[in-house]
Amino acid sequence: MIRAIVLAAGKGTRMKSSRSKVLHELCGRPMLWYVLNALRRAGISEILVVANEELQAEIAQFGVASVLQSEQLGTGHAVRIGLERLQPHAGGRIVVACGDMPLVTEAIFRGMVGSLEARDGDDAVMSLVTVKMPLPSYFGRIVRRDAAVERIVEVSDATPEQLEIDEMNAGIYAFDETALRDAVTRLSNDNAQSEYYLTDTVSYFVGAGKRVRPVLAGDHLDVLGINDRVELARARKEMNARLCAQHMRDGVTIVDPETTYLEPDVEIGADTIIYPNTTIGRLSKAGTACVIGPNSRLSHAMLGDRVAVRESVVIDSTIGSDVAIGPFAHLRSETNVSDRAHIGNFVEIKKSKLARRVKVSHLSYIGDATIGEGTNVGAGTITCNFDGEKKHQTIVGSDVSIGSNTSLVAPVKVGDGALTGAGSVVTKDVPAGERVAGNPARPLPQK
Ligand code: UD1
Ligand code: MG
């Protein structure tokens, strides 16, 4: 049985924030989300987070158990609190990770656990991830003797010679549970920071004749611990580059990954092209051969195939296939646009349903409306949906011709095949096939 304890109770003083550090976001998700995600992908689903009060108040969103560490007395103390909460399990494994390491990968956890499990004739009770890093560094140093790991020295306790060591402790470990339960009760806080260091378990095990297995991580960015907003920005850039790379490998053309901002769990079909300054997030989906951007934002937007969204914003909306949107359109709140529709320049649409082949090409506001198949909405048309207190519906049928600058004063219905003249102010329902014009709009004489 493998369980994980994620340490996240630290104050995160250097963020200078009223929020818990691990709740700060990169690419649309809190740091902690990424760590939990990597653990779960590595097959470790029983996770306990050691939290402070601010984090505990918001922990529900992560779907994990948590335990409060009300005083931050060090990483060793934090693990001890975690273990007190977990039912003992002889022969179990405990993975310890930090919640402020969003770039950590599933592979790192798998490699480390694999190393502890490997039965190489010695009785290893711990494995840990180490990493080569440019100096100076605030990470604990790995002190080796005859190639074997002997102890970890924290920077504040290190001698000048030890500070020259360029192999660091990443802060990710796997332990034999029984050995860990014993070791954490033996830690002392007799050190420069007067903290209980989890890292002292290494010298304790080695002193007792046990082995500690190091696993060298290839890329130090993978174990970058975020302490301030400068490091957060670095991690965000790296995370975004990874997300873009994944989509490009899956067949999406991203013209400039440096200015394309993606979130996890976004789906984009092959042969879609994304132009610069574009953000795609909140579980958005795009089909194949779409063109998105430049200068566009998609948030919880569901696009079919061959949709073009140019210089536009699409939020909480569903778009069919072969639809062109923009430049400079704004679709939001439960808008639903069907196949082959066209939404042009300076058009805002909210809570509306547009059927197939509807055209709203210029300078319009469509709110709380239903528009039938093949209808053309002329330039400058406005649905006057708000009477100062309530929102009202506008229902327009199929193959209707709405003249330029029509005001549709809701609640109002325009029947199939009807027509409104330029500048009409439609205050009453228009029957199917009727032609109206004027303010207020009245039927035109029959031709
Ligand atoms: C720790 C390691 C160091 C390693 C570095 C990697 C120790 C003593 N040192 O140092 O060797 O190179 O991580 O990033 O472990 N936390 C708690 N409760 C506490 C203290 C810390 O939950 O009482 C949490 C923090 O929120 C953080 C993690 O533990 O997520 C690490 O603590 P931090 O104070 O950042 O340790 P470092 O000094 O970075
Ligand atoms: Mg740290």
Side-chain angles (χ1 to χ4, degrees), residues 5-10 22 48-50 74-76 78-79 96-100 173 198:
I5 297 177
V6 175
L7 307 185
V22 297
L48 178 71
V49 175
V50 180
T75 48
V79 167
V96 176
C98 297
D100 60 359
Y173 325 86
L198 180 62

Side-chain angles (χ1 to χ4, degrees), residues 183-194:
V184 290
T185 62
R186 295 174 193 268
L187 299 175
S188 105
N189 65 351
D190 182 14
N191 52 52
Q193 303 183 74
S194 301

